[in-house]
């Protein structure tokens, strides 16, 4: 495995190439992101089990708004992803350098998991507002406006409406459940990725020693895909409740405003425990290829960002 660390990079290249890859990946996978969000948010009692399938959501959105509807909220998603990734990737690389070297060095898998977890907590303050705003836009795609509800025109419109209703805390709804969900996902993904990458390199080249210094985009792609499958299956229940908590209203949660516990209890009472696995297939279809593409792109970005660029030549 050819390791590239923070001190090897040209920072301007790292951010420039990282920005391009982030925008490309977020744009490409937005339709699946939107469908997943709708599946997790919709109530079976109101829509029927068939009405929340991947195909049903896809057809409804396209019928109401055309294919453009599948990209509703994309601008907010891209802004949030770019801002978050700049902070997240910087934190991750610095933490990975610290945890993988020196007296405090730990195993490759553990250092990746710990760095991913801590980097997610560092970036969570930026993540949550964009998550809340983009989800408000995405759940309205293909949906007929309810009486008295606001039809959002843009991310800025959502932000202004939420702040007007309940102050700045409205755009930070579900802060802690988001921190736990994304922190868990990040730790699991990086642990699985590092483990699969090491195993695949050793299998491909015969031994750990023979794999040292090698660089294989195909292995990065495969390890990212496998890590995505593991993460999607492990984190879907938390992701469902994160989405429900962020989209909750006073009317739905009663006197305990927007509480994760209140939302969980109400959701389980209304729809049963199976709701926690709502959208699992779509999440796998979204996270696995997303993980494959972003891991391959991320390793490529690190290669292109080398200060002397000898590895990219």
């Amino acid at each position: 495995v050819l390791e590239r660390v923070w001190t090897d990079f040209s920072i301007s290249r790292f951010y420039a190439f990282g920005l391009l890859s982030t925008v490309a990946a977020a744009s490409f996978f937005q339709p699946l992101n939107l469908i997943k969000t709708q599946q997790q948010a919709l109530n079976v009692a109101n829509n029927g089990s068939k009405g929340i399938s991947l195909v049903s959501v896809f057809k409804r959105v396209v019928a109401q708004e055309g294919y453009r509807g599948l990209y509703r909220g994309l601008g907010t998603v891209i802004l949030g992803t770019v801002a978050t990734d700049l902070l997240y990737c910087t934190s991750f690389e610095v933490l990975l350098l610290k945890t993988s070297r020196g007296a405090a060095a730990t195993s490759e898998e553990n250092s990746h998991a710990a760095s991913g977890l801590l980097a997610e907590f560092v970036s969570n303050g930026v993540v949550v507002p964009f998550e809340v705003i983009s989800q408000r836009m995405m759940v309205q795609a293909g949906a007929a406006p309810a009486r008295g509800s606001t039809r959002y025109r843009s991310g800025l419109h959502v932000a202004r409406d939420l702040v007007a209703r309940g102050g700045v805390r409205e755009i930070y709804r579900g802060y802690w459940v988001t921190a736990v969900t994304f922190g868990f996902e990040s730790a699991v993904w990086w642990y699985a990725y590092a483990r699969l990458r090491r195993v695949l390199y050793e299998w491909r080249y015969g031994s750990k020693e023979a794999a040292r210094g090698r660089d294989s985009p195909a292995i990065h792609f495969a390890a990212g895909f496998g890590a995505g499958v593991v993460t999607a299956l492990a984190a879907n229940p938390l992701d469902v409740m994160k989405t429900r908590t962020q989209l909750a209203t006073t009317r739905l949660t009663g006197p305990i405003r927007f509480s994760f516990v209140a939302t969980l209890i109400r959701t389980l009472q209304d729809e049963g425990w199976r709701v926690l696995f709502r959208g699992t297939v779509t999440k796998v279809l979204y996270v696995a290829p997303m993980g494959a593409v972003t891991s391959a792109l991320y390793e490529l970005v690190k290669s292109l960002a080398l200060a002397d660029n000898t590895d990219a030549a």
Side-chain angles (χ1 to χ4, degrees):
V1 181
L2 181 59
E3 292 290 352
R4 309 175 184 92
V5 297
W6 181 251
T7 51
D8 297 332
F9 301 148
S10 161
I11 305 305
S12 60
R13 288 180 189 168
F14 181 75
Y15 288 143
F17 289 121
L19 174 65
L20 292 174
S21 64
T22 293
V23 172
S27 301
F28 185 80
F29 289 104
Q30 174 62 10
L32 280 172
N33 185 24
L34 181 142
I35 293 172
K36 172 189 72 71
T37 300
Q38 288 213 6
Q39 285 183 301
Q40 293 177 341
L42 292 173
N43 190 312
V44 173
N46 297 329
N47 296 275
S49 58
K50 293 183 179 180
I52 61 173
S53 70
L54 188 157
V55 175
S56 296
V57 174
F58 174 83
K59 287 182 176 179
R60 181 169 59 248
V61 173
V62 173
Q64 293 290 329
E65 302 186 37
Y67 290 102
R68 182 179 179 180
L70 296 171
Y71 292 88
R72 184 173 174 81
L74 176 61
T76 303
V77 169
I78 288 177
L79 285 174
T81 304
V82 168
T84 301
D85 280 6
L86 288 175
L87 186 56
Y88 176 89
C89 292
T90 302
S91 303
F92 174 79
E93 290 295 336
V94 171
L95 289 164
L96 184 61
L97 182 63
K98 299 294 184 182
T99 57
S100 60
R101 291 184 174 182
T106 183
S107 72
E108 181 182 356
E109 292 88 350
N110 289 336
S111 63
H112 277 75
S115 300
L117 175 64
L118 293 173
E120 197 62 65
F121 278 111
V122 169
S123 61
N124 200 56
V126 177
V127 171
V128 175
F130 286 103
E131 271 283 300
V132 171
I133 292 168
S134 64
Q135 287 181 351
R136 292 273 167 176
M137 294 193 68
M138 286 190 285
V139 296
Q140 289 190 342
R147 179 177 296 180
S149 67
T150 302
R151 181 71 177 180
Y152 296 120
R153 300 183 299 273
S154 65
L156 183 59
H157 185 197
V158 180
R160 286 175 173 172
D161 180 62
L162 292 178
V163 171
R165 291 186 185 189
V168 175
R169 73 174 186 173
E170 287 294 301
I171 60 175
Y172 279 92
R173 185 180 305 168
Y175 179 88
W176 290 111
V177 68
T178 303
V180 171
T181 301
F182 284 172
F184 177 74
E185 287 185 346
S186 184
V188 170
W189 192 92
W190 279 111
Y191 184 93
Y193 175 71
R195 182 64 176 268
L196 288 169
R197 185 182 64 166
R198 179 172 59 82
V199 169
L200 289 172
Y201 265 107
E202 291 178 10
W203 170 78
R204 170 66 177 80
Y205 295 103
S207 67
K208 183 177 182 179
E209 290 70 26
R212 186 171 289 116
R214 302 282 188 171
D215 191 29
S216 172
I219 288 179
H220 301 153
F221 187 91
F225 188 93
V229 172
V230 172
T231 303
L233 294 175
N236 197 73
L238 274 173
D239 195 25
V240 170
M241 292 316 305
K242 172 191 71 67
T243 300
R244 293 293 184 101
T245 301
Q246 290 178 333
L247 293 174
T249 64
T250 308
R251 183 178 65 259
L252 289 176
T253 57
I256 308 177
R257 286 174 55 85
F258 316 131
S259 160
F260 167 75
V261 175
T263 305
L264 175 62
I265 292 173
R266 177 64 61 85
T267 299
L268 293 178
Q269 286 176 341
D270 291 348
E271 301 177 65
W273 61 270
R274 286 186 177 85
V275 71
L276 299 177
F277 298 92
R278 177 87 49 76
T280 299
V281 172
T282 307
K283 187 173 176 68
V284 171
L285 292 175
Y286 168 59
V287 175
M290 180 76 159
V293 171
T294 54
S295 58
L297 284 175
Y298 189 60
E299 296 289 357
L300 176 62
V301 165
K302 290 167 70 173
S303 174
L304 295 172
L306 292 173
D308 58 9
N309 209 28
T310 55
D311 187 54

